[in-house]
């Protein structure tokens, strides 16, 4: 093993000794109960299979056949999840073919961050992860199931499913992806049109045409944002079948992979031949594997919260220092937009997951000795699936990249580190992703332009008051204040200023998501303004230094001056969510710091 990867892993293991032991003890206790539906009363069990067909009723009555719960995030407004409409029947059929039964255990909400960007609904985005976790746990709580299939792809949905699933960690579970849409117009061209629109050089009709040509069909968006980062993470952690992440929805291989996943989870149950609960797969080593792979590919900054939260659900304590130390050691070997011109389909064609995992394994940067849904050992994931004479077979993956502008070797990386940096200073702690930021833009020292709402920047820009070096500070965007929304409306404006030759950066206690691009963005700042963070005292004109090379994040104002300032008051914002706004506000006020995963600290926290 690479010395740094091993040292970080050892540190996480030591740090997590007590909490991980407690979690594993809970798993052992749950396992000892055997087939859970055997403890149900006749009335309980009759309710559980009342709507089943006669054969499935008979199978569930007996205790010799596995019953698999399906947790689905289907809706047909979210392009990535639209293909899931037909999955339950497909998965039930596959389970029946190996003598098992499947039932839909739960549906979970699945909001689209692409639709809610810049809209009030974005304030529910991060909170939806907690709702999904709770919904997943509720669905699995009926003691009817011997395993589960988890249907989710995007943003908060995969982390929520994973957190909820780990609360039933004694059960085997397998994620079933649906794949990315085929490539539309290049993402770089889409970004160019967005900037032209921000400058008033194209009209709304032309902008909508470009957006529609990019997001054009069922399937996951093709840029390397949080959705595709989720899929890569799940596969490297051994929670999806090898090579299943990036097969398009209409590829004949996709249906066969989905049916194979259903059959495999039946084998992983206590009634199968390879009992492997999800709580044993998700451990310190598999979590480090997920982090390493994300860093090596320039993955989403959202995962600096979601991995922390999911790890804690399994009794493993990970922090930003772990991410930063690993990032310094792990080279960047993939360039997928916004880190390059290619999309995820190009990554898949160039060698994809099999090549990536082989490169990192051979360099000692991934732990091979881990349990996976495909069996023991991550080396299995250097193979990729092929459809041969109608049957799925795994063959050795690419040993050399087919496109070295998209996917390269550890020996000849795009850059020596993963591009994620932990920033520290008198302002607090924040993360910054610079894998898409040119070296000349990685250090910015400039006066602050302070706003408390991303929508206010457009007027300042149109007035010409942003034509200068500046650090745009958006305060009051933290998880407790307003749900920590993503601030993508800022991207075209900041990108335009950078193209004009100005030194610009973003600083916020909000998020910028997996599509953080060419402008340096110090995000997830903690403590947030509502929690007394120094960002609440920043005034326009104050000098701020954002240094992604040294990790410095400093407000260049004297302590004496700061002592005279009153922190700008930030209140818990009420939003227009109809009758539910009081409930959402109460839940949001319980979200913790992003550095601890922005987890909900209410009583439901005990579930995970």
């Amino acid at each position: 093993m690479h010395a740094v990867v091993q040292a970080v892993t050892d540190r996480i293991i030591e740090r997590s000794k007590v909490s991980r032991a407690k979690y594993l003890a809970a798993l052992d206790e749950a396992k000892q109960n055997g087939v859970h539906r055997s403890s149900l009363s006749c009335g309980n069990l009759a309710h559980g299979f009342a709507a089943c067909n006669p054969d499935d009723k008979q199978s569930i009555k007996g205790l010799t056949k596995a019953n698999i719960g399906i947790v689905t995030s289907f809706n047909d407004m979210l392009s990535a999840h639209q293909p899931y409409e037909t999955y339950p029947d497909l998965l039930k059929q596959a389970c029946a073919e190996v003598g098992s039964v499947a039932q839909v255990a739960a549906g979970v909400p699945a909001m689209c961050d692409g639709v809610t960007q810049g809209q009030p609904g974005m304030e529910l985005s991060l909170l939806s992860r907690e709702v999904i976790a709770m919904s997943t746990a509720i669905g699995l709580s009926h003691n009817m199931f011997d395993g589960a299939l988890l249907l989710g792809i995007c943003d908060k949905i995969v982390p929520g499913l994973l957190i909820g699933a780990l609360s039933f960690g004694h059960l085997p579970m397998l994620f079933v992806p649906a794949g990315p849409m085929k490539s539309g117009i290049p993402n770089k061209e889409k970004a160019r049109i967005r900037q032209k629109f921000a400058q008033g050089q194209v009209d709304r009709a032309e902008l909508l045409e470009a957006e529609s040509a990019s997001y054009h069909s069922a399937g996951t968006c093709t840029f390397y944002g949080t959705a595709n980062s989720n899929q890569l993470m799940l596969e490297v952690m051994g929670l999806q079948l090898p090579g299943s992440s990036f097969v398009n929805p209409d590829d004949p291989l996709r249906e066969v992979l989905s049916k194979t996943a259903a059959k495999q989870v039946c084998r992983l149950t206590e009634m199968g031949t390879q009992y492997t609960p999800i709580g044993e797969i998700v451990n310190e080593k598999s979590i480090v594997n997920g982090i390493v792979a994300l860093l090596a590919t320039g993955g989403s900054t959202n995962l600096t919260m979601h991995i922390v939260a999911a790890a804690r659900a399994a009794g493993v304590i990970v922090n930003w220092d772990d991410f930063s130390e690993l990032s310094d050691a792990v080279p960047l070997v993939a360039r997928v937009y916004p880190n390059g011109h290619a999309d995820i389909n190009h990554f898949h064609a160039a060698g994809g997951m099999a090549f990536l995992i082989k490169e990192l394994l051979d360099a000692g940067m991934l732990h091979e000795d881990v349990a996976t849904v495909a069996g023991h050992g991550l080396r299995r994931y250097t193979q990729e699936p092929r459809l041969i004479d109608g049957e799925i077979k795994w063959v050795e993956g690419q040993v050399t990249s087919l496109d070295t502008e998209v996917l390269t070797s550890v020996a000849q990386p795009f850059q020596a580190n993963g591009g994620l940096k932990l920033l520290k200073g008198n302002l607090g702690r924040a993360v910054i992703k610079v894998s898409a930021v040119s070296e000349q833009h990685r250090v910015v020292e400039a006066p602050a332009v302070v706003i408390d709402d991303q929508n206010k920047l457009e007027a300042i820009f149109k007035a010409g008051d942003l034509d200068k070096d500046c650090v745009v500070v958006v305060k009051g965007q933290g998880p407790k204040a307003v749900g920590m929304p993503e601030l993508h409306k800022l991207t075209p404006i900041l990108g335009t200023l950078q193209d004009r030759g100005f030194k610009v950066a973003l600083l916020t206690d909000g998020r910028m998501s997996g599509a953080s691009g060419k402008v340096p963005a110090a995000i997830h700042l903690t403590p947030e303004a509502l929690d007394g963070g120094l960002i609440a005292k920043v005034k326009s004109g104050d000098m701020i230094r954002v240094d992604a090379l040294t990790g410095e994040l400093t407000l260049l104002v004297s302590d004496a001056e700061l002592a005279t300032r009153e922190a700008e008051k930030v209140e818990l914002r009420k939003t227009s969510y109809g009758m539910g706004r009081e409930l959402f506000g109460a839940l949001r006020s319980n979200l913790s710091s992003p550095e601890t995963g922005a987890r909900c600290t209410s009583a439901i926290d005990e579930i995970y």
Side-chain angles (χ1 to χ4, degrees):
M1 288 300 299
H2 188 283
V4 172
V5 177
Q6 188 62 60
V8 172
T9 305
D10 291 342
R11 186 171 68 217
I12 293 170
I13 291 172
E14 181 62 29
R15 186 192 300 141
S16 309
K17 265 187 177 178
V18 174
S19 53
R20 180 65 176 171
K22 182 179 177 182
Y23 178 76
L24 292 176
L27 259 60
D28 286 340
E29 182 180 355
K31 282 184 218 170
Q32 290 167 9
N33 292 332
V35 179
H36 279 209
R37 65 181 182 275
S38 66
S39 66
L40 297 177
S41 72
C42 292
N44 296 149
L45 194 57
H47 274 88
F49 60 60
C52 292
N53 64 53
D55 289 341
D56 285 352
K57 281 184 180 180
Q58 197 58 41
S59 295
I60 293 174
K61 283 180 185 178
L63 301 178
T64 58
K65 294 185 178 182
N67 186 24
I68 304 301
I70 300 170
V71 181
T72 177
S73 54
F74 161 73
N75 68 51
D76 58 12
M77 181 272 305
L78 183 52
S79 66
H81 291 218
Q82 185 274 341
Y84 283 142
E85 181 176 13
T86 60
Y87 274 44
D89 286 344
L90 180 76
L91 300 175
K92 290 177 183 181
Q93 177 191 343
C95 288
E97 289 174 7
V98 291
S100 297
V101 183
Q103 296 177 287
V104 174
V108 302
M111 71 183 295
C112 179
D113 286 5
V115 174
T116 56
Q117 286 292 348
Q119 303 299 319
M122 173 51 72
E123 295 175 11
L124 286 181
S125 176
L126 181 58
L127 184 63
S128 75
R129 185 193 66 191
E130 308 302 293
V131 176
I132 292 163
M134 296 178 215
S135 301
T136 302
I138 290 168
L140 296 173
S141 69
H142 295 88
N143 285 352
M144 284 288 293
F145 306 111
D146 305 295
L149 293 163
L150 308 172
L151 279 54
I153 293 167
C154 291
D155 298 279
K156 313 322 153 283
I157 301 153
V158 161
L161 287 168
L162 182 54
I163 291 168
L166 286 167
S167 67
F168 286 81
H170 62 288
L171 296 177
M173 302 194 205
L174 202 153
F175 278 82
V176 185
M181 66 179 70
K182 291 182 178 176
S183 303
I185 68 167
N187 285 288
K188 191 172 183 179
E189 173 64 10
K190 174 192 66 181
R192 187 185 71 83
I193 298 295
R194 285 180 177 177
Q195 283 193 198
K196 287 174 74 72
F197 178 75
Q199 298 170 61
Q201 296 175 6
V202 301
D203 62 16
R204 184 178 177 84
E206 190 170 345
L207 175 65
L208 183 57
E209 185 67 26
E211 298 286 0
S212 301
S214 178
Y215 309 117
H216 59 87
S217 68
T220 312
C221 304
T222 60
F223 67 92
Y224 192 36
T226 307
N228 285 319
S229 294
N230 283 339
Q231 297 307 296
L232 180 137
M233 174 194 71
L234 289 174
E235 189 165 331
V236 175
M237 289 180 67
L239 294 171
Q240 288 184 169
L241 291 179
S244 63
S245 295
F246 303 122
V247 176
N248 300 127
D250 60 352
D251 190 315
L253 179 59
R254 171 55 65 198
E255 180 175 322
V256 181
L257 276 167
S258 300
K259 293 184 72 172
T260 302
K263 293 175 182 178
Q264 180 63 8
V265 80
C266 297
R267 299 185 188 102
L268 300 178
T269 67
E270 285 188 292
M271 283 167 278
T273 56
Q274 308 165 31
Y275 176 57
T276 312
I278 190 173
E280 292 181 6
I281 291 177
V282 179
N283 63 15
E284 297 90 341
K285 289 182 178 180
S286 67
I287 290 165
V288 168
N289 284 350
I291 296 172
V292 166
L294 285 163
L295 294 169
T297 54
S300 168
T301 51
N302 274 326
L303 274 298
T304 61
M305 290 188 296
H306 297 326
I307 288 179
V308 171
R312 287 185 179 233
V316 178
I317 303 172
V318 178
N319 62 38
W320 285 354
D321 294 287
D322 301 325
F323 277 83
S324 188
E325 191 169 331
L326 288 169
S327 183
D328 287 342
V330 174
L332 186 72
V333 297
R335 282 208 179 280
V336 185
Y337 187 84
N339 303 313
H341 64 84
D343 68 20
I344 203 68
N345 292 310
H346 300 133
F347 167 83
H348 184 64
M353 295 301 299
F355 174 82
L356 173 71
I357 291 172
K358 183 180 187 304
E359 276 293 307
L360 294 174
L361 274 174
D362 290 349
M365 292 185 171
L366 294 177
H367 295 281
E368 202 278 333
D369 58 329
V370 291
T372 79
V373 296
H376 192 81
L378 193 60
R379 188 66 61 173
R380 293 171 180 267
Y381 284 72
T382 63
Q383 295 183 318
E384 55 187 22
R386 290 280 186 271
L387 200 56
I388 301 173
D389 297 329
E391 303 239 344
I392 193 168
K393 294 186 180 177
W394 270 267
V395 301
E396 287 305 313
Q398 281 295 124
V399 296
T400 58
S401 172
L402 295 176
D403 187 342
T404 54
E405 291 186 6
V406 177
L407 195 52
T408 187
S409 64
V410 170
Q412 296 180 303
F414 295 117
Q415 63 184 44
N417 57 64
L420 184 77
K421 194 77 176 177
L422 173 62
L423 300 178
K424 297 180 284 186
N426 61 353
L427 281 160
R429 287 159 66 94
V431 294
I432 187 169
K433 187 175 83 171
V434 293
S435 50
V437 178
S438 299
E439 288 191 18
Q440 69 266 31
H441 298 307
R442 295 184 181 184
V443 180
V444 177
E445 185 174 311
V449 174
V450 181
I451 55 177
D452 60 4
D453 184 329
Q454 64 176 329
N455 294 300
K456 294 180 178 180
L457 194 67
E458 185 176 3
I460 301 172
F461 174 72
K462 287 182 175 179
D465 296 333
L466 281 180
D467 286 336
K468 58 185 178 182
D469 293 350
C470 60
V471 176
V472 173
V473 178
V474 193
K475 61 172 71 174
Q477 307 300 301
K480 291 185 180 181
V482 69
M484 208 178 185
E486 294 176 352
L487 306 174
H488 268 301
K489 280 185 104 170
L490 305 172
T491 304
I493 295 173
L494 296 178
T496 297
L497 293 174
Q498 190 180 82
D499 289 348
R500 290 176 180 173
F502 298 113
K503 299 278 279 185
V504 293
L506 171 69
L507 171 64
T508 182
D509 48 10
R511 290 184 294 133
M512 198 65 173
S513 102
S516 302
K518 65 184 183 180
V519 175
I523 57 178
H524 304 184
L525 180 67
T526 182
E528 65 174 284
L530 185 67
D531 267 352
L534 185 58
I535 188 175
K537 290 189 174 185
V538 178
K539 294 182 177 180
S540 290
D542 288 347
M543 293 297 292
I544 294 176
R545 182 174 179 83
V546 178
D547 190 333
L549 301 179
T550 65
E552 180 185 354
L553 180 62
T554 307
L555 174 62
L556 299 171
V557 176
S558 70
D559 291 342
E561 165 64 18
L562 290 173
T564 67
R565 292 186 184 178
E566 296 239 343
E568 183 178 329
K569 191 172 182 183
V570 178
E571 296 182 352
L572 191 68
R573 188 183 305 171
K574 285 189 177 181
T575 45
S576 54
Y577 303 129
M579 298 299 290
R581 67 173 180 243
E582 297 294 341
L583 171 63
F584 291 130
L587 284 173
R588 191 177 66 218
S589 68
N590 283 318
L591 291 178
S592 65
S593 158
E595 192 163 10
T596 56
R599 299 163 73 237
C600 187
T601 56
S602 63
I604 200 69
D605 187 51
E606 293 301 314
I607 287 181
Y608 18 108

